Amino acid sequence: MIKQKVKELILTQKRTIFRPFWGIKVKYNERIQIDHSVVFYRNIHIYQTSGNGMLQIDKDVHICDGVKFVVGGNIVIGEKTQIGENCVLNGFADILIGENNLFADRVNLITNNHEYRDISRPIMDQKNNTNPIYIG
């Protein structure tokens, strides 16, 4: 069941590997591009917010166990990059990762932050700032 739903939502080529396939959760993402030879491990979560961003994963990328993508802006992962276990790519603005990068386990890339300067107001009632992240 999961395999069929993911096939409908993800544009895959023949050599994309989901290993093991179970545990990949995809919600609201019509805008995903996955190149060939991408390896997904277990418990990958891909969420799309109300933004118009897309997730693009280039060839020979490894996405390890427990990685979470929040796609609001564009998230682009360049060739031969490995994203370690339990990393979070929270992309309310763009996250652009170049080729040949290695991320350790539990790395968080967060593009948004809440204002907190006005101590008389709750943080949730203050402005939310977003800034893109670019990694060579």
Side-chain angles (χ1 to χ4, degrees):
M1 173 98 170
I2 290 176
K3 187 173 184 178
Q4 185 60 32
K5 287 193 179 278
V6 172
K7 276 188 173 180
E8 291 170 9
L9 293 172
I10 296 179
L11 307 172
T12 61
Q13 295 182 6
K14 291 181 183 177
R15 292 180 52 206
T16 297
I17 301 168
F18 295 93
R19 144 176 95 183
F21 205 109
W22 67 87
I24 295 175
K25 296 182 181 175
V26 180
K27 293 187 179 184
Y28 306 116
N29 48 338
E30 310 90 32
R31 302 188 58 152
I32 296 176
Q33 292 182 352
I34 300 174
D35 209 330
H36 65 281
S37 300
V38 173
V39 177
F40 288 91
Y41 291 85
R42 291 181 295 181
N43 300 316
I44 308 301
H45 298 263
I46 303 171
Y47 302 98
Q48 186 165 5
T49 67
S50 58
N52 292 323
M54 65 186 298
L55 173 62
Q56 175 184 327
I57 303 175
D58 291 341
K59 68 181 181 178
D60 299 323
V61 170
H62 285 239
I63 308 294
C64 294
D65 294 348
V67 173
K68 177 181 171 184
F69 297 95
V70 178
V71 183
N74 295 316
I75 298 177
V76 178
I77 301 173
E79 294 180 13
K80 298 181 181 177
T81 292
Q82 180 170 330
I83 308 295
E85 292 183 7
N86 300 308
C87 288
V88 175
L89 284 77
N90 191 342
F92 286 94
D94 293 348
I95 298 175
L96 306 176
I97 300 169
E99 298 177 0
N100 300 307
N101 284 285
L102 174 63
F103 288 80
D105 296 346
R106 296 180 183 85
V107 171
N108 291 284
L109 301 178
I110 310 294
T111 61
N112 64 317
N113 192 16
H114 295 279
E115 286 285 335
Y116 54 88
R117 291 186 176 100
D118 184 353
I119 61 172
S120 67
R121 294 177 36 209
I123 290 175
M124 294 302 290
D125 291 342
Q126 296 186 48
K127 184 178 175 182
N128 188 12
N129 294 318
T130 59
N131 291 299
I133 297 173
Y134 304 106
I135 299 175

